[in-house]
Amino acid sequence: MLKRVNRVALIGTGFVGSSYAFALLNQGITEELVLIDLNKEKAEGDAMDLNHGLPFAPSRTKIWYGSYQDCGDADLVVITAGANQKPGETRLDLVEKNSRIFKGIVDEIMSSGFDGIFLVATNPVDILTYAVWKFSGLPKERVIGSGTILDTARFRFLLGDYFDVDTRNVHAYIIGEHGDTELPVWSHADIAGTSISEWTKHKDGFNQEDLDQLFLNVRDAAYHIIERKGATYYGIAMGLVRLTKAILGNENSVLTVSAYLDGEYGQKDLYIGVPAVVNRKGIREIVKLELNEDEQAKFTNSANVLKNTMEPVFKNI
Ligand code: NAD
């Protein structure tokens, strides 16, 4: 009998999707990868191009350009498809437009018989992850958004750079909306078990003003990159690969994702960025950080902004 293999279906092979496919292939994480895009030529061209790299890959990945029917046997469907904000368009316009696009995509995927895990990266990611959960009817733990995984990575990188310590020894989270109202959890930020506030207090050359500016650079990183090169894609692509590895490898890894809250952090019925344990079943559990008063107030504000943006959209769909 043939061994069952892992299949990832990628919907949307634009900047983010094709970077994800490239990084996935380079890390040899799945045995099968099917590429699907409204722009068939682009997906087909990407499949050809990626296949030509196979002789240099760490393991064999079967890659092809396919259709929604191929999602029926997928373990994971990653969605990076959707429209970008156009000049003159409000955020709400984009939410409505992408929610409608997502209704079509998710209906097609579900009619293929798909019964795996969804991973969503399209913006506004928290709201679109909620949309996928609603449209698919799958259990909440099997619908995951990339949330603040990238913001947390930016935060850890910049902190490592500032303190001149390997970023992998920096443990700190950005939570909340993936967007303007996100917040740093300073009260639980540490370097190798030493809180950042201790580190700053006992060593020369570090101060809170620098750290406040560092967070602003995290929050506004996408604007800074888009100003320079039009889009951001490598960082999020690697974050999506990390999540794919945690899911397919049943790793029980703690990653900041957009997860459905049902009372945690004082919130209900929304998807928002929080640390969570991720494994082969999706989200095993939400990690409940003890926030201080200021952090809790900022988190509540972030959740309210998301709820206010979502409300008119889901009334009309
Ligand atoms: P892009 O325009 O390069 O790619 C979008 C792709 O989606 C295109 O190939 C397009 O043909 C495809 N598409 C559009 N409608 C479709 C449909 N109905 N069915 C199938 N495919 C469809 O955009 P990009 O730069 O790759 O960004 C994609 C999304 O990722 C955006 O929403 C962007 O804001 C988001 N993003 C998220 C993060 C994050 O941290 N979550 C970071 C960067 C970008």
Side-chain angles (χ1 to χ4, degrees):
M1 210 172 91
L2 282 179
K3 187 179 156 277
R4 165 111 180 64
V5 299
N6 284 313
R7 177 181 296 184
V8 174
L10 171 64
I11 320 296
T13 58
F15 282 116
V16 174
S18 57
S19 303
Y20 166 73
F22 183 58
L24 199 63
L25 172 62
N26 271 295
Q27 296 188 35
I29 285 167
T30 184
E31 286 90 354
E32 294 187 349
L33 173 63
V34 52
L35 309 180
I36 299 163
D37 197 293
L38 196 61
N39 180 346
K40 294 180 181 153
E41 303 255 288
K42 172 73 169 83
E44 194 171 17
D46 272 332
M48 291 161 74
D49 201 358
L50 290 164
N51 271 320
H52 300 165
L54 272 177
F56 314 116
S59 57
R60 188 176 142 63
T61 307
K62 184 181 169 199
I63 305 167
W64 72 102
Y65 144 69
S67 70
Y68 284 106
Q69 266 165 2
D70 294 314
C71 295
D73 287 328
D75 300 272
L76 180 69
V77 167
V78 180
I79 311 185
T80 63
N84 279 327
Q85 210 162 339
K86 303 281 179 303
E89 219 172 29
T90 67
R91 220 165 139 260
L92 192 58
D93 290 336
L94 185 68
V95 177
E96 278 188 8
K97 198 196 276 184
N98 275 339
S99 298
R100 275 175 214 289
I101 291 176
F102 266 48
K103 176 87 177 83
I105 291 176
V106 174
D107 283 354
E108 293 250 34
I109 294 169
M110 295 315 288
S111 50
S112 74
F114 174 67
D115 194 25
I117 295 173
F118 273 109
L119 175 55
V120 182
T122 308
N123 278 321
V125 68
D126 302 291
I127 298 176
L128 291 176
T129 307
Y130 183 91
V132 170
W133 172 65
K134 276 266 168 201
F135 299 153
S136 68
L138 287 177
K140 61 184 182 347
E141 56 277 6
R142 284 207 267 138
V143 181
I144 308 174
S146 57
T148 45
I149 194 167
L150 175 60
D151 319 74
T152 293
R154 286 170 173 156
F155 194 38
R156 291 176 63 200
F157 163 71
L158 287 176
L159 284 169
D161 194 43
Y162 180 63
F163 290 109
D164 199 16
V165 170
D166 187 338
T167 179
R168 291 168 300 183
N169 296 118
V170 178
H171 299 283
Y173 300 107
I174 299 287
I175 60 170
E177 172 205 9
H178 169 59
D180 297 341
T181 64
E182 66 187 31
L183 59 129
V185 187
W186 287 118
S187 63
H188 290 280
D190 76 75
I191 299 171
T194 309
S195 71
I196 297 264
S197 57
E198 284 293 308
W199 200 281
T200 313
K201 222 184 291 165
H202 298 303
K203 292 187 195 287
D204 289 336
F206 305 123
N207 59 64
Q208 190 55 45
E209 292 76 61
D210 286 350
L211 291 176
D212 291 342
Q213 184 55 47
L214 186 147
F215 164 64
L216 295 183
N217 288 341
V218 169
R219 190 196 60 190
D220 300 338
Y223 298 117
H224 298 155
I225 297 170
I226 288 167
E227 250 167 46
R228 289 165 171 80
K229 56 177 253 184
T232 81
Y233 35 93
Y234 296 134
I236 184 59
M238 289 181 76
L240 292 171
V241 170
R242 179 69 193 90
L243 270 162
T244 304
K245 197 162 168 266
I247 294 166
L248 298 183
N250 196 27
E251 289 187 349
N252 291 313
S253 302
V254 177
L255 297 161
T256 37
V257 292
S258 193
Y260 185 88
L261 296 190
D262 191 18
E264 299 89 349
Y265 293 91
Q267 295 297 329
K268 265 180 187 282
D269 198 31
L270 91 159
Y271 270 85
I272 190 164
V274 286
V277 181
V278 178
N279 68 17
R280 194 67 180 77
K281 292 188 175 146
I283 294 180
R284 191 189 79 191
E285 65 183 271
I286 304 234
V287 177
K288 284 169 258 164
L289 298 170
E290 276 294 321
L291 301 181
N292 66 29
E293 215 174 294
D294 179 53
E295 291 161 351
Q296 182 61 55
K298 285 180 175 149
F299 186 84
T300 305
N301 172 56
S302 189
N304 287 342
V305 166
L306 278 176
K307 280 183 179 160
N308 291 340
T309 312
M310 278 163 64
E311 203 194 36
V313 177
F314 289 99
K315 245 195 247 159
N316 299 330
I317 290 182

